[in-house]
Amino acid sequence: SEWLVWDFPSLNPFKQLTWNNKYFINLLYRSLLQYDLNEEKIVWDITNCDISNLTYIECYLNDNIKWSNWNEITIKDIVATYKILQNTDINPIIKSLLQDTEIIEEDNIIAFKNEKSDINFLNVFFQPIVNEEIINQLWEENLKWNFPSMDWIYSWKFKITNISWDLALWTTKFILEKNEYYNSNPVLIDQLIIKLFSNINNLLKNKDNINIFNDEDNLIWDSVPRFDNTKYILPQYVSIFLNKDKIIDIDLRTFLLEQINPTNLVNILWDTNYEVVNNP
């Protein structure tokens, strides 16, 4: 469970990714290219590409890459995504990089041909890929602003299964569940609940209920938990793995959790054994 003070995300993978929208999109969609946090380098994801010649880049679709409804991701999905970006003004940066670029489609291959040998062109391969069926159903306002949320349209580690509003607390709650058809990497968290607060005051009134909090301004804790290399305060690290209903016997679960005294743990471990936890 994570609490954020942010506006409602557009959930639009076509728009330039910033702020809360970037955080959500990076949990939901795959692209041709990804940054591997474990290896600390750029790696290919949906495709393998030959980038030895930047004026003609050929990408081969990897096997067993699926949407969250078990359907295969296809070259047509990739082509449809780039055609939208190339022919509209929804993302001016990607459009400028794709200008005068010929997109060539074959069975399991997509190629990008252009006159410029520009290393910046590789940025287009970080673009989230969208299902062609969804693209064909989009209204103009969806394309430019808010995107639909349906649990079958995603390809990355999570899928949105529910969005609800609490008018008493002025919060929006997103429930993201593990995408069981994402098989490139194990996902250890089954469900992620993200609550968006409209302002800081409402959040502070409810801070006793908070598990993990994105606190860049250090309002509550000196910690910004994320799914990447990050510093964790020890109680938060413990809560991530124990605050989950995996133990059927409630009495046993309660007993185990009551044995944990975060203050004592910090006093014992902080000086000698505290260390950065990488990508837990």
Side-chain angles (χ1 to χ4, degrees):
S1 178
E2 182 172 4
W3 299 58
L4 312 174
V5 180
W6 270 340
D7 294 328
F8 189 93
S10 70
L11 300 177
N12 190 332
F14 289 123
K15 294 175 68 69
Q16 186 178 351
L17 299 184
T18 56
W19 297 93
N20 57 339
N21 201 50
K22 180 178 182 179
Y23 180 42
F24 275 86
I25 297 304
N26 285 342
L27 293 172
L28 300 171
Y29 290 94
R30 303 181 77 161
S31 55
L32 304 191
L33 190 70
Q34 291 287 344
Y35 185 81
D36 190 305
L37 292 165
N38 294 321
E39 298 186 23
E40 297 187 342
K41 67 178 184 179
I42 293 173
V43 297
W44 298 108
D45 184 18
I46 293 177
T47 60
N48 285 304
C49 301
D50 180 1
I51 59 173
S52 58
N53 177 9
L54 292 176
T55 62
Y56 184 82
I57 298 175
E58 199 167 69
C59 299
Y60 303 86
L61 191 65
N62 284 324
D63 295 330
N64 203 26
I65 306 291
K66 302 180 185 296
W67 298 108
S68 49
N69 65 350
W70 193 240
N71 288 341
E72 297 278 353
I73 295 177
T74 69
I75 289 294
K76 291 188 179 299
D77 295 320
I78 301 172
V79 171
T81 298
Y82 284 110
K83 289 293 186 182
I84 284 286
L85 293 162
Q86 190 177 45
N87 298 322
T88 68
D89 295 323
I90 186 172
N91 191 323
I93 293 177
I94 298 296
K95 181 179 181 178
S96 66
L97 291 171
L98 289 171
Q99 187 176 8
D100 301 323
T101 298
E102 181 183 359
I103 299 175
I104 304 167
E105 173 189 357
E106 296 183 16
D107 290 338
N108 282 319
I109 300 172
I110 182 172
F112 300 83
K113 182 179 180 181
N114 61 67
E115 299 294 328
K116 296 175 290 187
S117 183
D118 184 359
I119 193 67
N120 288 321
F121 185 74
L122 293 182
N123 283 300
V124 305
F125 297 99
F126 287 101
Q127 169 62 39
I129 300 302
V130 181
N131 192 310
E132 182 191 28
E133 184 177 347
I134 283 293
I135 293 175
N136 293 336
Q137 297 175 7
L138 289 176
W139 296 87
E140 185 175 353
E141 55 265 30
N142 295 139
L143 183 61
K144 291 184 176 180
W145 187 238
N146 286 343
F147 218 69
S149 60
M150 294 172 280
D151 63 4
W152 60 272
I153 67 175
Y154 306 114
S155 56
W156 195 230
K157 298 182 179 181
F158 291 91
K159 58 184 180 182
I160 295 177
T161 56
N162 184 265
I163 301 176
S164 60
W165 291 266
D166 187 330
L167 297 181
L169 297 178
W170 288 97
T171 62
T172 305
K173 181 170 74 172
F174 291 81
I175 297 180
L176 284 74
E177 294 183 357
K178 180 170 69 174
N179 176 13
E180 61 269 33
Y181 300 130
Y182 171 73
N183 55 13
S184 299
N185 221 355
V187 180
L188 302 180
I189 298 176
D190 290 330
Q191 187 180 80
L192 179 63
I193 299 174
I194 300 177
K195 295 183 180 180
L196 298 184
F197 272 90
S198 58
N199 61 69
I200 293 172
N201 290 332
N202 281 341
L203 183 141
L204 292 177
K205 289 178 183 177
N206 296 276
K207 67 179 182 180
D208 292 339
N209 299 318
I210 295 175
N211 181 350
I212 301 176
F213 173 49
N214 174 29
D215 194 9
E216 293 179 339
D217 297 322
N218 298 332
L219 298 173
I220 299 178
W221 299 302
D222 181 17
S223 177
V224 185
R226 279 293 180 270
F227 294 116
D228 56 9
N229 296 342
T230 183
K231 292 183 179 180
Y232 272 78
I233 288 178
L234 187 57
Q236 290 186 330
Y237 177 76
V238 171
S239 72
I240 288 176
F241 291 94
L242 292 184
N243 193 21
K244 179 70 178 142
D245 290 320
K246 290 294 187 182
I247 300 174
I248 297 176
D249 188 320
I250 299 300
D251 291 334
L252 176 58
R253 170 178 162 76
T254 302
F255 173 78
L256 290 174
L257 290 175
E258 286 178 349
Q259 305 312 303
I260 299 173
N261 185 323
T263 302
N264 287 344
L265 283 174
V266 171
N267 290 337
I268 294 170
L269 300 176
W270 190 272
D271 292 334
T272 57
N273 294 320
Y274 175 77
E275 63 181 4
V276 175
V277 178
N278 290 325
N279 200 19

